[in-house]
């Protein structure tokens, strides 16, 4: 792949290269009408303007599928013989005549054609809802999602006549939006993010928050007015003391040096393996108005190279971007998302270039076009996507998006680009994301679900005094209140808040199991593939100006699979460098071929749970109540092994219980699991084994 010079390059607006998007096979989940299980309010206003993107089928679809499959089959002569963009266009692009037929169809149905992609991959048209309903043989309804009014088509779009064989899918009949997967560390009592701290509170090594997240056991006795009921709890302790003199909001959080050490990256850097010559492409919506200022302050504090026009570029393929309080950027956490992505990709691969592709908003279509721009301009061998939405919600409400996302990812794979995607922050999504859509079903995260992307899950990661990994669980947090706020009378029984957040994962209901997952059970794609630290309660520091004003810069702790994804993308850039400059292609098929020591299995042993919290409640004349580790960790659902710790609230002095490794119905266990995938990368061993696998 051509490496681009960053010097003096100005690219405020991109033209999309020819990029084929495939339709799913006949008989797939898309053959059935959408279920419309969201809260339908009524028909959309027929006069409301609407813009649609009509995607054409690529040529030689079967040949494309076979070619990409062989590129990732290590026994094939075509293994890692990726296509050039020119080859891809010549073999699979629709013709001018075919695009003309689609344009004629749209015009005949009162839709005004506004543009055609230069290689005929899609046609964009505008009209009103009435015209779109007629053109695409569907009804468009208003639906209420999470308190916000949206619209979506009641059944999948279809076209008739000569255009019917040419059209893969139609985007724009729905205005659903992708969600950022950035999660701040929050106060469990209020679910409000902890306040950030001033950059002036940095220690000599740039450390703002304690790295001692899981501390030795403590015992505490709580009484009611000095009498009964009385409770005694003993076990692990989480986070810094609230009486310490250092900043204590949040209770813990890691800087770049600590994470680099934890994942064994310092040894790689000594060998010059730091991303040099590689480019990490980050796709986000809106962006952050202060990203360069914030990222360079982060770099200064953490001893990283500065970001300059030579190694950092922002491109805006869908038009000018800005982050405001009224356009959905701040409410959607996108300024934090952008900051997290840039700073932590840079922290892992300090000498890699970064191209930040920003879209005008977080509509599905626009973020897809951001990915297309990243691929079509071949900025780098690695693309990081820290956004997603429930697969089953899209299947029910906007199946066109799944067709497009799958096609985009296949193009990246064909060109040797690894599209890395966050697996989600809501566990199985049953009680969180899908509740927004009125869907009573578990779901994986789109677009981590496609077999042509690598799904990045998350862990809760605890370090020792040398910053090596002491213990890690799959990310999934249960919380219980053990006492009242000061004066800390015991709660009898404790108040169980249950599942708060956790790594997304599970089984796709759309995509068949790819060959690289042949060792896994079932017939469908399993998510995720690999994981890194993501729990906000063991999260990482970011330097951010929340309102875009550098005068208000602060240091905060964030997690989410939005942290794991750019970190893994940075590591995959190093893998490309180590293998000779790349591209080495999609990560997932390679990961499943690596020997055991390359990836650390995230799997607790009974020994890891010995110091979990248990308790005793005494309230005469009633019999004493023994609260076992399991009693206090509820609800466990399918989880057997977990780690629990006492937490002293910085806001109320209440004593709480954090239970780590309890990820809704998902379970961390031996080998591949639906929380952490294969596990976490093992530094130098991981890179060496990847290089060996691709040579």
């Amino acid at each position: 792949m051509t490496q681009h010079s960053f010097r003096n390059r100005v690219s405020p607006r991109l033209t999309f290269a020819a990029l084929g998007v495939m339709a799913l096979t006949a008989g797939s989940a898309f053959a059935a009408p959408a279920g419309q299980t969201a809260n339908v309010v009524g028909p959309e206003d027929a006069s409301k303007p609407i813009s649609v993107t009509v995607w054409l089928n690529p040529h030689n679809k079967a040949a494309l599928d076979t070619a990409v499959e062989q590129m990732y089959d290590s026994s094939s002569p075509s293994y890692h013989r990726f296509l050039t963009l020119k080859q891809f266009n010549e073999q699979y692009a629709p013709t001018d005549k075919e695009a003309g037929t689609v344009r004629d169809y749209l015009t005949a149905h009162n839709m005004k054609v506004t543009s055609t992609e230069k290689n005929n991959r899609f046609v964009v048209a505008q009209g009103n809802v009435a015209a779109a309903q007629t053109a695409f043989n569907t009804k468009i309804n208003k639906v209420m999602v999470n308190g916000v009014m949206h619209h979506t088509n009641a059944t999948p779009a279809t076209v008739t006549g000569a255009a019917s064989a040419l059209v893969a899918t139609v985007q724009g009949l729905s205005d659903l939006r992708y969600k950022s997967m950035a999660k701040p560390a929050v106060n469990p009592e209020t679910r409000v993010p902890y306040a950030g701290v001033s950059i002036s509170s940095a220690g000599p090594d740039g450390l703002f928050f304690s790295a001692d997240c899981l501390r030795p056991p403590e015992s505490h006795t709580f009484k009611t007015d000095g009498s009964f009921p009385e409770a005694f709890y003993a076990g692990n302790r989480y986070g810094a003391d609230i009486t310490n003199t250092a900043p204590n909001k949040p209770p813990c959080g890691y800087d770049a040096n600590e994470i680099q050490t934890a994942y064994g990256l310092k040894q790689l850097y000594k060998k010059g393996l730091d991303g040099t010559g590689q480019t990490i492409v980050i796709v986000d919506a809106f962006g952050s108005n202060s990203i360069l200022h914030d990222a360079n302050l982060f770099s200064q504090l953490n001893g990283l190279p500065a970001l300059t026009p030579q190694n950092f570029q922002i491109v805006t393929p869908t038009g000018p971007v800005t982050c405001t309080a009224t356009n959905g950027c701040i409410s959607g956490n996108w300024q934090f998302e952008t900051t997290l992505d840039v700073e932590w990709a840079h922290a892992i691969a300090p000498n890699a270039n970064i191209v930040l592709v920003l879209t005008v908003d977080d509509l599905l279509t626009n973020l897809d076009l951001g990915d297309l721009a990243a691929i079509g301009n071949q900025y780098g061998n690695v693309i990081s996507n820290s956004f997603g939405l429930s697969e089953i919600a899209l299947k029910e409400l906007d199946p066109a998006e799944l067709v497009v996302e799958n096609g985009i990812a296949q193009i990246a794979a064909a060109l040797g680009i690894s599209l890395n995607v966050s697996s989600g922050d809501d566990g199985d999504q049953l009680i969180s994301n899908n509740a927004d859509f009125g869907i009573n079903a578990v779901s994986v995260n789109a677009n981590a679900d496609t077999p042509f992307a690598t799904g990045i899950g998350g862990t809760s990661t605890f370090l020792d005094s040398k910053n090596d990994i002491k213990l890690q669980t799959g990310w999934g947090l249960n919380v219980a209140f053990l006492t009242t706020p000061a004066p800390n009378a015991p709660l009898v029984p404790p108040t169980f808040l249950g599942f708060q957040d956790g790594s997304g994962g599970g089984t796709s209901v759309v995509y068949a199991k790819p060959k690289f997952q042949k060792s896994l059970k079932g017939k469908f794609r399993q998510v995720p593939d690999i994981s890194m630290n993501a729990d906000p309660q063991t999260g990482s520091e970011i330097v951010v100006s929340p309102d875009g004003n550098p005068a208000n810069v602060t240091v905060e702790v964030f997690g989410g699979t939005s942290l794991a994804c750019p970190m893994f993308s940075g590591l995959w850039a190093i893998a490309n460098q180590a293998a000779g400059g790349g591209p080495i292609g999609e990560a997932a098929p390679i990961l499943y071929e690596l020997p055991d020591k390359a990836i650390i299995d995230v799997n607790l042993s009974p020994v890891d749970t010995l110091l979990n919290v248990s308790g005793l409640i005494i309230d005469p004349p009633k019999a004493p109540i023994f609260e076992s580790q399991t009693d206090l960790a509820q609800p466990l659902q399918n989880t057997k092994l977990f780690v629990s710790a006492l937490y002293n609230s910085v806001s109320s002095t209440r004593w709480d219980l954090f239970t780590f490794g309890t990820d809704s119905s998902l379970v961390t266990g031996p080998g591949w699991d639906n929380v952490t995938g294969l596990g976490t990368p093992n530094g130098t061993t991981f890179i060496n084994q990847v290089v060996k696998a691709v040579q």
Side-chain angles (χ1 to χ4, degrees):
M1 179 175 294
T2 302
Q3 293 297 316
H4 294 267
S5 169
F6 286 73
R7 190 177 301 275
N8 299 324
R9 177 157 57 84
V10 179
S11 186
R13 193 174 183 91
L14 304 177
T15 301
F16 299 124
L19 301 167
V21 174
M22 73 173 203
L24 296 189
T25 57
S28 73
F30 298 104
Q36 286 291 355
T37 53
N39 298 315
V40 177
V41 177
E44 181 58 278
D45 179 358
S47 64
K48 185 175 181 177
I50 195 168
S51 177
V52 297
T53 302
V54 181
W55 294 87
L56 278 68
N57 285 312
H59 280 188
N60 306 315
K61 175 63 176 56
L64 173 60
D65 292 345
T66 299
V68 174
E69 181 177 303
Q70 291 176 348
M71 290 175 196
Y72 291 93
D73 181 350
S74 58
S75 66
S76 169
S78 298
Y79 181 62
H80 278 199
R81 294 182 179 273
F82 304 118
L83 296 174
T84 66
L85 186 61
K86 183 175 184 292
Q87 289 170 331
F88 190 95
N89 293 339
E90 290 174 346
Q91 295 177 43
Y92 305 115
T95 66
D96 291 340
K97 181 179 179 181
E98 289 167 340
T101 300
V102 173
R103 288 194 298 268
D104 290 345
Y105 178 87
L106 293 168
T107 301
H109 287 81
N110 298 314
M111 302 291 292
K112 180 182 178 181
V113 174
T114 58
S115 65
T116 302
E117 195 272 332
K118 70 176 184 178
N119 289 291
N120 304 312
R121 295 301 174 185
F122 56 80
V123 176
V124 180
Q126 295 178 344
N128 58 27
V129 167
Q133 290 181 141
T134 300
F136 304 118
N137 302 294
T138 189
K139 298 293 183 183
I140 299 176
N141 290 326
K142 295 179 181 178
V143 295
M144 185 68 70
V145 178
N146 197 23
V148 178
M149 190 69 71
H150 290 273
H151 64 258
T152 187
N153 44 311
T155 56
T158 61
V159 299
T160 58
S164 63
L166 304 176
V167 173
T169 197
V170 180
Q171 272 188 308
L173 300 177
S174 161
D175 69 343
L176 297 180
R177 297 173 182 269
Y178 273 124
K179 292 175 58 176
S180 156
M181 296 301 162
K183 283 269 187 179
V186 300
N187 184 330
E189 301 178 5
T190 62
R191 299 299 295 170
V192 173
Y194 292 107
V197 300
S198 167
I199 60 168
S200 64
S201 60
D205 63 352
L207 174 67
F208 288 84
F209 304 109
S210 172
D212 193 8
C213 297
L214 189 67
R215 295 164 50 188
E218 297 180 356
S219 60
H220 294 272
T221 300
F222 306 103
K223 296 185 177 182
T224 304
D225 297 327
S227 182
F228 296 105
E230 180 177 299
F232 173 86
Y233 292 100
N236 296 311
R237 173 69 188 275
Y238 165 77
D241 291 330
I242 63 175
T243 56
N244 68 14
T245 57
N248 53 40
K249 296 182 179 180
C252 76
Y254 302 131
D255 64 14
N257 174 67
E258 290 155 354
I259 289 296
Q260 290 170 350
T261 301
Y263 286 111
L265 305 183
K266 296 294 184 71
Q267 297 93 322
L268 293 170
Y269 301 158
K270 289 178 181 178
K271 298 177 180 179
L273 295 175
D274 54 11
T276 298
Q278 295 298 305
T279 299
I280 304 165
V281 188
I282 297 167
V283 180
D284 279 319
F286 300 110
S288 164
N289 300 337
S290 55
I291 183 58
L292 188 59
H293 167 272
D294 297 346
N296 273 332
L297 186 51
F298 174 87
S299 298
Q300 178 184 341
L301 291 167
N302 285 280
L304 303 171
L307 296 179
T308 69
Q310 284 69 46
N311 62 12
F312 179 70
Q313 287 286 310
I314 298 174
V315 294
T316 55
T318 60
V321 299
T322 187
C323 182
T324 71
T326 58
N327 67 0
C329 172
I330 292 178
S331 62
N333 261 3
W334 288 101
Q335 82 280 32
F336 292 108
E337 178 65 72
T338 302
T339 305
L340 183 66
D341 289 344
V342 171
E343 291 180 357
W344 279 92
H346 187 48
I348 298 300
N351 278 319
N353 301 320
I354 294 177
V355 172
L356 178 60
V357 179
L358 297 177
T359 61
V360 69
D361 58 32
D362 49 6
L363 284 170
L364 306 181
T365 301
N366 283 329
L367 278 166
D368 287 337
L369 295 182
D371 275 337
L372 286 170
I375 296 165
N377 287 279
Q378 293 188 286
Y379 287 135
N381 300 328
V382 181
I383 299 174
S384 183
N385 279 183
S386 292
F387 52 84
L389 203 60
S390 160
E391 178 193 77
I392 200 164
L394 289 177
K395 175 179 176 289
E396 292 290 327
L397 299 173
D398 194 359
E401 175 58 23
L402 294 172
V403 178
V404 174
E405 71 161 38
N406 193 57
I408 289 172
Q410 187 182 38
I411 298 161
L415 300 180
I417 299 169
S418 186
L419 178 62
N420 304 324
V421 185
S422 297
S423 72
D425 295 350
D426 299 310
D428 63 18
Q429 302 198 36
L430 179 59
I431 60 173
S432 49
N433 195 340
N434 284 330
D436 299 343
F437 299 98
I439 298 172
N440 184 28
V442 300
S443 178
V444 297
N445 194 50
N447 49 13
D449 53 351
T450 167
F452 301 115
T454 300
I456 314 300
T459 62
S460 302
T461 306
F462 303 99
L463 307 185
D464 63 20
S465 60
K466 295 181 179 180
N467 296 329
D468 293 322
I469 294 177
K470 172 171 60 178
L471 180 70
Q472 57 182 352
T473 71
W475 169 35
L477 182 70
N478 283 3
V479 172
F481 294 161
L482 302 180
T483 76
T484 66
N488 302 141
L491 290 170
V492 183
T495 301
F496 294 95
L497 277 66
F499 174 69
Q500 303 297 295
D501 46 36
S503 176
T507 304
S508 170
V509 296
V510 173
Y511 300 108
K513 182 170 67 177
K515 284 188 175 181
F516 60 77
Q517 289 191 324
K518 60 188 176 185
S519 62
L520 305 186
K521 296 179 180 179
K523 297 181 179 180
F524 290 88
R525 169 75 160 117
Q526 302 283 340
V527 179
D529 298 303
I530 198 165
S531 59
M532 295 184 78
N533 186 43
D535 186 347
Q537 305 299 341
T538 65
S540 289
E541 299 168 358
I542 64 170
V543 175
V544 62
S545 303
D547 59 359
N549 182 354
N552 298 324
V553 68
T554 185
V555 183
E556 305 193 20
V557 171
F558 263 74
T561 48
S562 280
L563 171 60
C565 189
M567 287 203 299
F568 180 77
S569 296
L571 188 60
W572 201 246
I574 293 174
N576 276 264
Q577 177 196 4
I584 59 174
E586 181 190 355
I590 299 171
L591 300 178
Y592 288 85
E593 295 186 357
L594 299 181
D596 291 342
K597 292 183 179 180
I599 298 176
I600 299 171
D601 187 21
V602 180
N603 178 37
L604 294 174
S605 74
V607 174
D608 298 321
T609 70
L610 291 177
L611 302 179
N612 284 349
V613 176
S614 59
L616 182 68
I617 297 174
I618 301 174
D619 189 15
K622 300 175 184 177
I625 301 173
F626 174 68
E627 298 279 7
S628 70
Q629 297 180 4
T630 300
D631 293 334
L632 293 173
Q634 297 298 319
L636 288 175
Q637 296 197 50
N638 299 320
T639 298
K640 302 296 183 184
L641 296 176
F642 52 85
V643 171
S644 61
L646 296 165
Y647 164 63
N648 191 195
S649 168
V650 298
S651 61
S652 71
T653 78
R654 182 200 301 271
W655 284 84
D656 305 327
L657 181 74
F658 283 3
T659 302
F660 300 94
T662 50
D663 191 9
S664 58
S665 66
L666 308 179
V667 179
T668 306
W672 181 93
D673 61 64
N674 55 18
V675 180
T676 69
L678 294 166
T680 57
N682 187 16
T684 300
T685 302
F686 176 81
I687 295 297
N688 289 342
Q689 292 300 331
V690 168
V691 171
K692 184 177 180 180
V694 300
Q695 288 180 340

